[in-house]
Amino acid sequence: MKTLLRLLAPLALAASFIAAPASAADIKGKEMMLPASERQVKVEFYRAPGNAKRPTVLMLHGGQGWGGAEGRFENFQDYAGQLAAKGYDAYLVYYYSEQDIADRKANAPGVSIKRFPAWAKLVSDLTADVKKNADSNGKVALVGFSNGGNLSAHATPLDSNIDAAVVYYGGVSRVPGYTANRFPPMMIFHGEADTREPIERGRKLYDTVKALGGPVEFHSYPGINHGFGQNLGTAAADDAFKRTLAFLGKTLEGED
């Protein structure tokens, strides 16, 4: 019996390593280009481990792109890696064109207002494309930060193919003539001390979604300013991320 146990011990040890779940640090992003009608779109892809069919999360950056005044790029990468470790294929989407970047640097007026329709079409194109992946379970959510949160609120009513949205410090679309007639399930986060996107915009989005019958949650954080969402390891960000995972599990995987 002792001989048999000695023989089985290395196998058990090896199995324990095989079964160990991947951590966010183990999951590295891969840059690639995805097709869209306006142009090919650069993304950084964080693939969830395993071969089971799984949901997809498209992450949308703020006004400064991935990084800048709204948070260090590595923090957003960490967020994407955390999502992947929890079983979601996560994409950091670079939805700005070269002209958008130039206009932003030049402080050109009204860039977002002018470009939201084209960006929303781009998001719809990506949603349709990633749903075709063999590993996809057919469900896609948006997680948008600041300008990306505004874009999520603009894009989701236009495309029933988008199954859910998480909006960090965003609000109702300010594009002239824009009217939302529906929303998918949505979760909204806002700092009560936000000096860039006042919390009233988040509350207005909540009221709009609720009035149209969409399932919606709103969570605010006292004393917290703009850009907190990706700073995992801080209280507000960790609470929001925990709620995001529960929301995604319920809306994309049917978890209770």
Side-chain angles (χ1 to χ4, degrees):
M1 176 63 74
K2 292 182 179 179
T3 300
L4 178 60
L5 290 175
R6 284 197 299 271
L7 291 173
L8 291 177
L11 295 176
L13 181 62
S16 69
F17 282 111
I18 294 172
S23 69
D26 296 327
I27 301 172
K28 306 301 181 183
K30 177 183 178 182
E31 288 189 5
M32 60 177 64
M33 304 296 289
L34 295 182
S37 55
E38 183 181 74
R39 66 186 189 280
Q40 284 196 316
V41 181
K42 178 183 173 182
V43 300
E44 191 165 304
F45 175 43
Y46 291 74
R47 185 186 186 280
N51 296 313
K53 292 186 180 297
R54 52 193 177 267
T56 301
V57 174
L58 301 178
M59 297 174 61
L60 305 177
H61 58 68
Q64 303 299 317
W66 288 121
E70 288 159 356
R72 294 176 300 180
F73 183 37
E74 58 267 29
N75 290 350
F76 291 107
Q77 291 175 311
D78 180 42
Y79 195 109
Q82 296 282 356
L83 284 174
K86 297 296 184 180
Y88 301 93
D89 281 346
Y91 294 81
L92 294 169
V93 179
Y94 292 74
Y95 61 86
Y96 280 173
S97 67
E98 291 184 4
Q99 186 61 53
D100 295 332
I101 295 171
D103 288 342
R104 282 288 187 182
K105 288 182 178 179
N107 292 318
V111 174
S112 291
I113 300 300
K114 295 174 184 176
R115 289 288 289 156
F116 268 129
W119 294 337
K121 179 62 169 65
L122 182 151
V123 169
S124 290
D125 290 344
L126 295 186
T127 297
D129 184 67
V130 297
K131 283 193 174 190
K132 297 175 185 175
N133 290 343
D135 291 336
S136 172
N137 75 345
K139 299 289 186 179
V140 173
L142 309 181
V143 174
F145 301 86
S146 192
N147 196 60
N150 292 329
L151 176 56
S152 297
H154 180 99
T156 49
L158 303 175
D159 187 358
S160 60
N161 210 26
I162 301 170
D163 300 287
V166 177
V167 174
Y168 280 90
Y169 22 90
V172 174
S173 176
R174 299 190 287 273
V175 174
Y178 176 88
T179 301
N181 297 314
R182 57 164 296 279
F183 281 95
M186 182 174 287
M187 181 167 281
I188 304 165
F189 300 114
H190 226 108
E192 294 183 10
D194 195 320
T195 56
R196 183 175 301 180
E197 288 282 340
I199 193 171
E200 287 74 20
R201 293 178 182 171
R203 290 189 175 124
K204 183 178 178 181
L205 176 60
Y206 170 79
D207 291 340
T208 302
V209 178
K210 189 174 182 180
L212 290 172
V216 59
E217 295 182 36
F218 182 83
H219 301 282
S220 63
Y221 299 93
I224 299 298
N225 204 335
H226 197 77
F228 67 88
Q230 77 285 354
N231 296 320
L232 298 181
T234 63
D238 285 357
D239 180 77
F241 187 69
K242 180 181 177 181
R243 294 180 186 276
T244 295
L245 291 177
F247 171 75
L248 294 177
K250 181 177 180 180
T251 57
L252 303 185
E253 301 180 85
E255 297 176 0
D256 295 328

